Amino acid sequence: MAAVPQLLLLLLCSYHALIASADVQSHKILATSSQKPQAVCSEPTVSPPSTSGATVALNHRQGPCSPVVSSEKKPTLGELLRRDQLRAGYVQRKFSNDKHRANSGLQSSEVTVPTTLGSSLDTLEYVITVELGSPAVKQTMIIDTGSDVSWVHSSSGSPFDPAKSSTYVPLSCGAPACTQLGGEGNGCAKNGQCQYMVMYGDGSNTTGGYGSDKLALTASETVDRFQFGSSQVEEGFRDKTDGLMGLGGDTPSLVSQTAATYGKAFSYCLPPTTSSSGFLTLGAPSGGTSGFATTGMLRSQQTRTFYGALLQGISVGGKLVGVSPSVFSAGSVMDSGTIITRLPPTAYKAFSSAFKEGMKQYPPAPARGFLDTCFDFDGQDNVTIPSVALVFDGGAVVDLDANGIIYGSCLAFTATDDDGTIGIIGNVQQRTLEVLYDVGKSVLGFRANAC
């Protein structure tokens, strides 16, 4: 046998041992009702993080737990997938366009995909509620690990008006925070105030003054002089939230602004369904990474926004799919804003085939958009599905929740254009996990059953 196949066998054997030691079950039970919209917010089953930082509730913006009141019709699965393709396509095009540059991919050294998104805010799903200004005004804001600049609506009729806040300070055009906006800076107003602009791939945009004010995350945890944009001119927004909170890795983000207090670390738990709650926490766990499966955080040199990781394998039913770890060498972005996980085609083909082998008791169903591994669950209250675990560099085995495997009766994964295209770990796969981003220590962590 050739040396390369022998090496592959050794690697596969070692990862099989890791999966066995992680006690990954062969099957999971999925309640089909969890795949359907619910009218009532269920009691949270949150296992709160042990941290001295700030923790706020996190909800799906279109579910019954959301503080966002909207009379608009909820998007169909087809609409959600179309928007998701825009988001994922933008991230992947950015890396593809930078292939001619040295060190354009995700790397373990300090390295960056840009802060403007590939679609409208309709691709972003999770919200938190904070207070801004003096007197404090409640703001329900979308969170996004793919954005750095935070902003709130402040045009006529919006809850927040900087002129009515005694602690609001406009930032001058010469202020370091203004120059650090980079491509999202928008020149200087006649009064000398710094201006920002964020443009989205669908043509929507927001622009206004850039300033600072008091941000209350909780009753006891506040951020003085939090820098953000006050959106005064907007185009193309139908969203009912009050703005966006940037959790990216570049200088303007909330994570970077609060680094001195919270150590440039944060975590969140996305709830298993739209009718339950999770949390967002600023600060690393007080007990370190005990209880977390951890892997090295990867960054890209072109932008300092996104966070990445290196997959090494994937298991189905407790058995590793026979794909070389080198197939995943392009790396994967860990993204709160992309719904569906993207895998290299070689890995996805083998993974999908293995999953279908474990689903022979259910009739196949037609593809739904780009989701091509679908099943007919009609008449079923509960279905038995093979477990799925992601294996990351360093041996971290992340066993996915049943609601992190199936989306709309389909396997919640799809393929990238080719094996050299950057992958994405979407938010469906992150459900019920506390996902830790310790930027200061370049570590990603995963704690099971956190919400």
Side-chain angles (χ1 to χ4, degrees):
M1 184 178 286
V4 172
Q6 284 181 333
L7 178 60
L8 176 57
L9 279 175
L10 287 171
L11 286 170
L12 292 178
C13 287
S14 66
Y15 287 124
H16 275 301
L18 282 171
I19 292 166
S21 65
D23 195 28
V24 175
Q25 301 299 311
S26 62
H27 289 82
K28 294 181 181 289
I29 304 298
L30 174 69
T32 55
S33 60
S34 68
Q35 299 285 300
K36 301 171 184 176
Q38 303 294 313
V40 179
C41 181
S42 62
E43 288 294 320
T45 55
V46 173
S47 172
S50 56
T51 178
S52 56
T55 298
V56 298
L58 178 150
N59 295 292
H60 194 287
R61 66 179 179 135
Q62 291 161 343
C65 302
S66 174
V68 180
V69 178
S70 177
S71 59
E72 291 185 7
K73 185 179 178 181
K74 289 181 172 60
T76 65
L77 177 64
E79 289 169 335
L80 287 171
L81 293 179
R82 178 184 58 81
R83 297 168 186 173
D84 195 50
Q85 196 74 319
L86 290 173
R87 167 81 173 201
Y90 174 79
V91 174
Q92 293 165 334
R93 281 194 307 273
K94 177 59 184 177
F95 281 99
S96 175
N97 290 342
D98 287 341
K99 274 183 179 178
H100 65 282
R101 301 182 189 176
N103 302 319
S104 64
L106 290 168
Q107 300 181 9
S108 58
S109 57
E110 280 282 321
V111 201
T112 65
V113 211
T115 53
T116 54
L117 305 180
S119 60
S120 71
L121 296 187
D122 286 337
T123 61
L124 307 177
E125 297 194 296
Y126 295 95
V127 296
I128 59 171
T129 298
V130 296
E131 293 185 339
L132 193 61
S134 303
V137 177
K138 278 192 175 182
Q139 300 281 279
T140 298
M141 303 177 72
I142 298 168
I143 65 157
D144 184 27
T145 56
S147 293
D148 294 307
V149 175
S150 301
W151 57 268
V152 298
H153 298 289
S154 61
S155 53
S156 177
S158 299
F160 180 77
D161 182 351
K164 294 180 180 179
S165 174
S166 62
T167 46
Y168 180 81
V169 177
L171 290 171
S172 69
C173 296
C178 186
T179 59
Q180 289 166 353
L181 287 175
E184 292 186 325
N186 193 37
C188 199
K190 290 182 179 179
N191 63 2
Q193 183 179 3
C194 178
Q195 301 290 294
Y196 83 98
M197 173 182 277
V198 179
M199 300 186 68
Y200 298 91
D202 65 346
S204 58
N205 60 81
T206 166
T207 186
Y210 199 65
S212 68
D213 208 336
K214 181 180 179 180
L215 171 68
L217 298 165
T218 68
S220 60
E221 295 286 336
T222 60
V223 180
D224 293 327
R225 297 180 293 280
F226 172 63
Q227 298 154 9
F228 63 99
S230 297
S231 180
Q232 291 142 0
V233 179
E234 301 157 0
E235 184 179 0
F237 292 120
R238 300 183 305 275
D239 187 77
K240 301 298 182 183
T241 58
D242 295 315
L244 180 143
M245 186 68 77
L247 298 177
D250 211 350
T251 307
S253 77
L254 174 66
V255 180
S256 296
Q257 288 190 47
T258 58
T261 304
Y262 301 118
K264 208 169 186 182
F266 70 100
S267 65
Y268 57 66
C269 186
L270 307 182
T273 68
T274 60
S275 60
S276 51
S277 296
F279 59 81
L280 168 70
T281 293
L282 290 179
S286 55
T289 56
S290 175
F292 287 81
T294 61
T295 188
M297 178 183 290
L298 308 183
R299 307 290 294 280
S300 159
Q301 286 184 340
Q302 272 58 60
T303 325
R304 303 194 61 78
T305 304
F306 284 86
Y307 312 101
L310 184 62
L311 274 174
Q312 295 282 267
I314 187 164
S315 75
V316 176
K319 297 180 180 179
L320 197 69
V321 175
V323 176
S324 170
S326 63
V327 169
F328 301 96
S329 61
S332 297
V333 170
M334 186 69 58
D335 191 22
S336 69
T338 301
I339 300 172
I340 302 297
T341 286
R342 271 74 177 173
L343 296 174
T346 298
Y348 176 72
K349 183 178 179 181
F351 167 51
S352 172
S353 178
F355 192 82
K356 284 187 282 191
E357 278 293 312
M359 294 289 285
K360 286 184 175 180
Q361 68 272 41
Y362 304 110
R368 308 187 72 173
F370 57 77
L371 299 179
D372 61 10
T373 305
C374 302
F375 308 92
D376 184 351
F377 296 146
D378 283 353
Q380 303 285 340
D381 293 327
N382 296 289
V383 294
T384 302
I385 62 175
S387 64
V388 173
L390 304 179
V391 182
F392 290 94
D393 188 43
V397 178
V398 180
D399 188 19
L400 303 184
D401 184 77
N403 282 294
I405 300 171
I406 296 291
Y407 186 78
S409 301
C410 300
L411 181 63
F413 293 76
T414 191
T416 59
D417 289 339
D418 56 65
D419 288 350
T421 298
I422 198 82
I424 301 174
I425 308 299
N427 60 43
V428 169
Q429 282 65 40
Q430 298 175 47
R431 291 174 178 178
T432 75
L433 298 167
E434 181 180 1
V435 183
L436 169 66
Y437 297 75
D438 194 331
V439 187
K441 295 182 178 178
S442 295
V443 169
L444 279 169
F446 307 89
R447 181 171 69 94
N449 303 314
C451 64

